[in-house]
Amino acid sequence: HLCELGFLEPVQRILRRTPTDSQMLLFSATLDTRVGALVAEFLKKPAVYEIAGETQASSSTEHRVLVVDPRHKRTVVEELLAGDGKALVFTRTKVFADELADHLDDAGIAALALHGDLTQERRQRNLDKLTSGRVQALVATDVAARGIHVDDIAIVVQADAPDEYKAYLHRAGRTGRAGARGLVVTLISARRRPSLEELLSRAEITAQFDAVKPGDRLIRQLAQRT
């Protein structure tokens, strides 16, 4: 859990002080590059047990990809959140998370940021506000969003597409839980389309790609589903 919150180096220092013949068990919701570094250094010929999640065929979550001009990204996110449902928006950087949360708030959509520069107390407070409905959206980085659970997330918007397919699955898993209807919308530039197609293939996700600009009917239709 500490590793998932971004504390890889402290975890490594602790493990390096344990006896080399210790028996170790590692549990992780996902196996990303951070957890992979621990596996490579500390686990010797590990036996791996994986619990498979639901497949797209059995899921109630719809996946859509919108190809947008990067200059229009903030406006398209704003239009996607025009519905009443709770939303999680993912960004690659803390700076963009803050900027996008401010943009949404200025547009009349109550939003807060969630990232590693905030104290744990502040992060929990922002999360509680989404849970209680006092804000409609959280704009989060992957590190801050690890392990969070909020009921009734209607839409996940990936303002920045992830670089790893397991990160995509982790983000998408925040919506459409327990049979509820969910929607995952990923925004990309035309240049990044091939890399996202490859990522979705690895994640075994089929998604429709559509080129859009602010004000397009498709964006309004997706927003109404929330």
Side-chain angles (χ1 to χ4, degrees), residues 158-184:
Q158 303 191 89
D160 292 322
D163 294 322
E164 298 178 337
Y165 80 93
K166 289 192 176 181
Y168 182 103
L169 294 173
H170 176 81
R171 293 175 174 188
R174 304 307 97 190
T175 186
R177 292 189 162 194
R181 186 177 180 181
L183 176 62
V184 178

Side-chain angles (χ1 to χ4, degrees), residues 1-8 11 32 34-36 38 143 146:
H1 180 64
L2 288 173
C3 179
E4 291 184 340
L5 290 175
F7 300 110
L8 174 60
V11 171
D32 58 14
R34 291 179 296 272
V35 179
L38 295 181
V143 169
R146 288 287 179 181

Side-chain angles (χ1 to χ4, degrees), residues 3 27 31 65 132 157:
C3 179
F27 299 89
L31 183 58
V65 179
S132 65
V157 177

Side-chain angles (χ1 to χ4, degrees), residues 95-154:
V95 171
F96 188 35
D98 283 329
E99 290 178 352
L100 189 51
D102 288 342
H103 174 89
L104 294 172
D105 215 46
D106 290 342
I109 300 169
L112 292 169
L114 192 72
H115 55 66
D117 279 355
L118 304 178
T119 65
Q120 181 59 38
E121 181 181 359
R122 178 76 177 278
R123 279 185 280 178
Q124 187 60 53
R125 187 163 62 246
N126 289 358
L127 186 59
D128 290 342
K129 287 182 178 179
L130 180 65
T131 301
S132 65
R134 284 177 286 171
V135 300
Q136 181 183 348
L138 283 185
V139 185
T141 59
D142 282 316
V143 169
R146 288 287 179 181
I148 69 172
H149 171 72
V150 177
D151 289 329
D152 305 323
I153 295 294

